[in-house]
Each structure stands twice: as structure tokens, then as C-alpha cells.
Amino acid sequence: MKLRYLSTASVMAGFVIGSFSSFGCGGGGGSSSGGGGGGNGTGSRVTVSVSGARSQNVPVEIDPARSKINTPFSQDLAPGGPITLYASEGVADRQFQHWLLNGQVLSTQPTLQTTTPAGDFSLTAVYTPRACGPNGFTPNFAGELDPQDGQPNKLYWWHDFPIRVYFDETQSLVDRSVIEQIRAGFDTWHEATGVLGAYELTTDAASADITVRFTHQPEGNGVAFTDLVFFTGDNTLDKATITFIVPRISADAFTRVGAHEFGHALGLEGHSNVPADVMSIPSGLLPLTARDINTLASGYCAYYNRGRHAAPRPAAITEHRATGTAHISCPGSGITGD
């Protein structure tokens, strides 16, 4: 199974328990009928729970009734009958580790087939922080080559959110409506992920994490470009600058170009080769795709694993840290208004 990234803290962890007539689906525990004897003093009672996820209340789907109950919950079963359980490979930023039967490891596979033991017992799906790397959230294009230059895509990340964004309007090259369109593009990332991409505006250029500039000077065949400054030790971002080449962007394209460039400023160095992705070249159409969202999330694995809000924004860095830079130019065939 492949994880489909969702912006909420809980993702379906589906359990399917074999077709027992004695298996109740009500919220207050199961009813019993038929040959298993469940609930008559000789049956079995299972408690299903999740450990290690951000939330312990994970929706569980039970077959064949296809009803959903939040963990933890208990149900009566017929002893000796087969049980099949399907756990999601991922719950938000956590990955499946193993099943526990009464606290002991039973299986390391998300899909579990076993037999109902006699008496009361517990089954627990254990999740651990997702392993960092290009396969952290799938599908994504983190491990692909940038179709523009044939180089591997790279991922960087901001230490914490919200980040500070400064719009340089000193040259009055665009009106307020253009800035609002660009901000709408920026907002799509936070709206899609629930946490990544949160930002606040600042009028202090010196304190900004991301500076947005406008120019009439062309660069190659690009419509915009983004420059990143990052710390080479852990690939955390220090500064980013987005530059829009105004005459090359049609009036109705600033939102999607803004979403594309903000994706770069959030840490995506490179592009997708799937035209539907916003991070393709030229930029694809909104909304963001699962590949767009998952690629960004893969770059923030360490951020997730330390706790989304566990660490405050670092104080001003006084010691020397090695930095690197990246310049990302974005061509825009079909985006210009001419």
C-alpha cells in the first residue's frame, strides 16, 4: 500500500475482522449470536488500539459491515475463528512498525491474518516516526530528475513555521491585486498540508525569511526564479528570494506561478515531469496534487519527527555555519500574455 498524504493528523487505519455473526458494530461493544458463544462467558473479547500515532483516536473500518469506529474499542468474537486485520502503512507522519498481541510482537506486516485466541486479548498497531528520505511520503517526485537540467531534485526545509514574508514594493511594478493573487498561490500549500507553508507578512526587510521581488528584466526564458540560502549541515533554509518577471506573466497566471515559486521557497529544488503537478515546468494548474504535497512533506521529515511545534524558532545564529545556495529558474511557455 502507498501512503496518500493528508493534511489532518489522522489517516484511515483500516482493520477488517473476519465475517463473524457475533461481531457487533455498535459503539458500545458487540452483540453476539450463533455458534461462537461470544458474550456468553466462554467467548473472546478483543481490544483494538493504536500506539505511537499523534492521535490515539484513529478511525477503524470493520468488514463486512463497513462501519467505522474510533480506536480504542472492544468487541466480542468467537474463539478459534479467523481474524484478518489491515492497518494503514502510515498515519500522518508516522509509519507502521508492528502488531502487538497482548503486548508481544505478533507481526511486522500491516496485513495480519491470525486466529482468535480464547479469553480477552488486545491487538495494537504500533507506529513510529517515519523514516526520512525520498520515500517518506508517496507518491512524490523527490527521487526523480529535474526535467529542466537532468539533475536530481533536492529537498530543504525551514526550521519552524510561520515563516516571515516581505513583499518589496519599493519600485511599484505591480498593483495590490497582483500581490493578492500571489498570496493566494502561497496559501495553497498551508491549506493543503495544515501546517507546512504557514507564513506571516512583515514590513521589515531585514527580518524576513522570504523576500518577494518584482522586475522587468528578463532572465533566459524564465517567468520567475527563486534563490535559496541553506545550511549545508542539515539542509535547513536560512533565506529565500522569489523574483517575478512581471511582463512575462499574464494577469491570470500569478496565482499558479506564485504557488510554484513558493514551493521552491519552501525547499523544493527541482521540478516534476508530470504536467498536472504545480511543480512541473511550466507550472501546472492548481490545485496542488498529491505528488506536490508529498514531495514537500518528504523534505520535512525531521521537522515532523521532532514534533511540529516542539522546538521554538532558533535564536540569532552567532557561530559560523557553512551555507550553500541554489538558483532555480522557471521557464514559462504558455504563461506569458503575448
Side-chain angles (χ1 to χ4, degrees), residues 100-261:
L100 297 179
L101 171 62
N102 294 334
Q104 302 296 315
V105 175
L106 178 63
S107 173
T108 58
Q109 299 301 314
T111 299
L112 172 67
Q113 291 183 319
T114 187
T115 301
T116 305
D120 296 346
F121 65 102
S122 65
L123 289 168
T124 305
V126 177
Y127 291 85
T128 58
R130 188 174 302 281
C132 295
N135 294 320
F137 295 84
T138 56
N140 67 59
F141 51 87
E144 298 176 4
L145 299 180
D146 185 342
Q148 179 167 271
D149 58 16
Q151 297 300 309
N153 290 329
K154 297 179 182 178
L155 301 175
Y156 308 96
W157 59 292
W158 292 100
H159 183 272
D160 212 346
F161 293 102
I163 48 180
R164 295 177 290 257
V165 175
Y166 169 72
F167 279 84
D168 184 354
E169 302 177 66
T170 56
Q171 298 186 53
S172 301
L173 297 180
V174 297
D175 58 31
R176 175 57 53 179
S177 65
V178 168
I179 292 177
E180 292 305 314
Q181 287 184 60
I182 292 171
R183 288 193 60 194
F186 288 7
D187 292 343
T188 58
W189 290 97
H190 185 231
E191 291 168 356
T193 66
V195 61
L196 304 180
Y199 68 92
E200 59 189 18
L201 297 181
T202 179
T203 57
D204 179 15
S207 69
D209 300 305
I210 298 176
T211 299
V212 181
R213 293 177 174 154
F214 304 92
T215 183
H216 282 188
Q217 300 300 316
E219 178 184 297
N221 66 341
V223 297
F225 54 90
T226 297
D227 293 286
L228 306 177
V229 179
F230 58 90
F231 296 109
T232 56
D234 58 4
N235 282 349
T236 53
L237 289 162
D238 181 42
K239 297 286 184 180
T241 302
I242 300 172
T243 304
F244 294 93
I245 304 174
V246 178
R248 290 187 169 179
I249 307 174
S250 61
D252 61 351
F254 277 100
T255 297
R256 63 185 171 109
V257 175
H260 181 105
E261 296 306 317

Side-chain angles (χ1 to χ4, degrees), residues 292-314:
D292 290 317
I293 298 166
N294 289 337
T295 303
L296 181 68
S298 295
Y300 282 83
C301 182
Y303 173 78
Y304 278 120
N305 288 350
R306 69 162 165 79
R308 295 182 182 182
H309 304 290
R313 178 181 293 276

Side-chain angles (χ1 to χ4, degrees), residues 147-148 221 223 256-257 260-261 271-285 329-336:
Q148 179 167 271
N221 66 341
V223 297
R256 63 185 171 109
V257 175
H260 181 105
E261 296 306 317
H271 296 96
S272 166
N273 60 11
V274 175
D277 296 340
V278 167
M279 297 310 296
S280 64
I281 48 174
S283 58
L285 297 175
S329 180
C330 302
S333 174
I335 293 179
T336 57

